Amino acid sequence: MGRFETFKELKKKHIYLILISNDASDKIKKELSKAGVTIYQFSDKVRLGKILGRKEVAVIGVKCQQFTKNIKNNLPESLKVIF
């Protein structure tokens, strides 16, 4: 899910992991720093958009705990960020 959906679901505590593009705005990064979930930063908006079948996406929120576990097991710790 994209940025708006991610922020909406964060309020409900339904997001377990966030993927954010390297070229996301500082405003988005600042808002996400308060999310309390693991954040991985990589790629750019265009590539992340392709994952969701969209033109550009700065943020992807992951709601599935099993998918979150798989992502964490397969992405290097060097992509994990703390703002």
Side-chain angles (χ1 to χ4, degrees), residues 1-60:
M1 70 181 49
R3 182 183 73 189
F4 296 113
E5 295 89 356
T6 297
F7 283 114
K8 180 180 164 185
E9 293 300 314
L10 275 170
K11 290 178 184 177
K12 298 177 187 176
K13 307 261 190 239
H14 292 166
I15 299 293
Y16 300 102
L17 178 116
I18 295 172
L19 304 174
I20 185 169
S21 68
N22 291 325
D23 53 349
S25 73
D26 289 337
K27 180 180 177 183
I28 291 173
K29 291 176 184 178
K30 184 178 178 179
E31 289 179 46
L32 290 175
S33 69
K34 303 169 190 171
V37 299
T38 303
I39 300 172
Y40 287 94
Q41 181 175 342
F42 69 100
S43 196
D44 56 51
K45 292 177 190 176
V46 173
R47 287 187 181 168
L48 288 182
K50 286 183 180 181
I51 292 171
L52 297 178
R54 297 183 183 172
K55 186 175 178 182
E56 291 184 356
V57 172
V59 176
I60 297 175

